[in-house]
Amino acid sequence: KKKEEKKKAEMIILNEKKKSEELLLNILPKLVADELKNKGKAKTKKYKNVTILFTDFVGFTLIASSISPVKLVEELNEIFSSFDDILEKFQIEKIKTIGDAYFAACGLPEKNKDHAIRCVEAAKLMFRYLEERNKTKEIKWKMRAGIHSGPVVAGVVSKKKYAYDLFGDTVNTANRMEANGEAGKINISETTYQLIKSKYKCIPRGIISAKGKGDMNMYFVEQDNL
């Protein structure tokens, strides 16, 4: 009987441990979570070349004021959950959502060479998903996407309510790509363009003034590719 009780207690402990690990993996990338478990802390790391993807919704304030807060959260939860599934296909790391903005990165913590292409493919699928969703849903969501590639610093911020976050000018520039884009289009920087131009047709937009960044070359990934 004691053996049975001991076995039962061990199973309970193992199940609880599994639950805790799954929760941690929902918050942090696996490599970071493993480091945190094994060492009690995760080192801040520099990455020379990653690609950042930002999306947000056009006319969000108007939509938010026309429906109940509960309905709004339900809508965002459904859309962002689908975005999460899309990212998983391309091994892109979701960093966080900020209101209606969705922030993701590819090429970290595990490096890969085609990080820019993966982000473009993910953005294309996001637009396709919204297009299909809008056919049957009452609220028609329109989205902008911005992509930029470059170096970042990544690390776990604070010791309570862990958050894996990215820092550096690359993040700000990616955000500007999104802000200076248009509904239904993927707006990319010169740096990202150089990484993807052999695979995609892009429409040069010329030099555009980006807030806090000055004049920048921007391109739309051609609509036919969406």
Side-chain angles (χ1 to χ4, degrees), residues 131-148:
E131 205 176 286
E132 286 304 309
R133 190 181 187 277
N134 285 345
K135 286 176 185 175
T136 56
K137 300 284 182 175
E138 193 187 334
I139 299 162
K140 314 297 180 194
W141 292 96
K142 289 179 180 178
M143 187 181 81
R144 285 187 302 253
I147 297 174
H148 175 59

Side-chain angles (χ1 to χ4, degrees), residues 64-105:
S65 64
S66 67
I67 58 175
S68 74
V70 173
K71 175 72 174 162
L72 181 68
V73 172
E74 281 173 2
E75 288 274 314
L76 288 177
N77 183 49
E78 193 180 304
I79 293 167
F80 288 159
S81 294
S82 295
F83 285 4
D84 292 349
D85 293 339
I86 289 167
L87 292 197
E88 218 168 298
K89 287 179 188 174
F90 297 103
Q91 292 168 300
I92 299 170
E93 201 64 52
K94 176 187 179 179
I95 306 302
K96 59 184 169 184
T97 57
I98 313 142
D100 67 314
Y102 192 95
F103 169 21

Side-chain angles (χ1 to χ4, degrees), residues 8 16 26 28 43 57 76 80 84 88 94 106-107 109-110 123 135-136 154 157 159 170 178 190 195 197 201 203 216:
K8 200 176 176 183
E16 288 304 314
N26 265 337
L28 305 169
K43 270 188 180 177
F57 295 111
L76 288 177
F80 288 159
D84 292 349
E88 218 168 298
K94 176 187 179 179
C106 191
E110 292 184 56
K135 286 176 185 175
T136 56
V157 182
K159 59 182 180 181
T170 300
E178 176 272 302
E190 178 70 40
L195 294 171
K197 64 181 181 181
K201 285 181 182 176
I203 303 159
M216 301 188 80

Side-chain angles (χ1 to χ4, degrees), residues 37 47 64 106 145 164 210:
K37 276 191 299 181
Y47 294 90
C106 191
Y164 181 72

